[in-house]
Amino acid sequence: MLTDLKSAKKVTGAKQVTRALKNGTARRVFLAQDADPRVTEPIELLCREQGTETEAVATMAALGSACGIAVGSAVAAVVD
């Protein structure tokens, strides 16, 4: 599923992913395992509360690369 991120409509970063979750547009959330838990844990909790599917990604660099950006990303979401 990580390879699908490049072509999917997506948002990256904690603020944008949180906004997408609250708006109900996030369909799947990707969380980097090496990211600061202070960033990822609130988003993971919000996903559980809303029943949004999550997927762990090994590193921030891998997630950023899968999103087609030149920097790492702690979180990303596929949106409608």
Side-chain angles (χ1 to χ4, degrees):
M1 185 68 172
L2 190 60
T3 56
D4 297 337
L5 265 176
K6 279 196 180 188
S7 60
K9 185 175 178 187
K10 64 194 159 291
V11 294
T12 59
K15 287 182 183 180
Q16 290 183 1
V17 171
T18 299
R19 187 177 307 126
L21 283 164
K22 289 181 178 179
N23 291 338
T25 59
R27 295 294 159 238
R28 185 181 194 112
V29 175
F30 296 85
L31 304 162
Q33 292 178 323
D34 66 342
D36 188 335
R38 292 176 292 182
V39 174
T40 58
E41 285 177 357
I43 293 170
E44 190 172 9
L45 178 61
L46 191 55
C47 287
R48 271 188 261 147
E49 289 172 357
Q50 295 187 351
T52 304
E53 196 173 338
T54 62
E55 185 172 323
V57 179
T59 65
M60 291 176 57
L63 184 54
S65 177
C67 290
I69 58 176
V71 296
S73 179
V75 294
V78 173
V79 297
D80 288 340

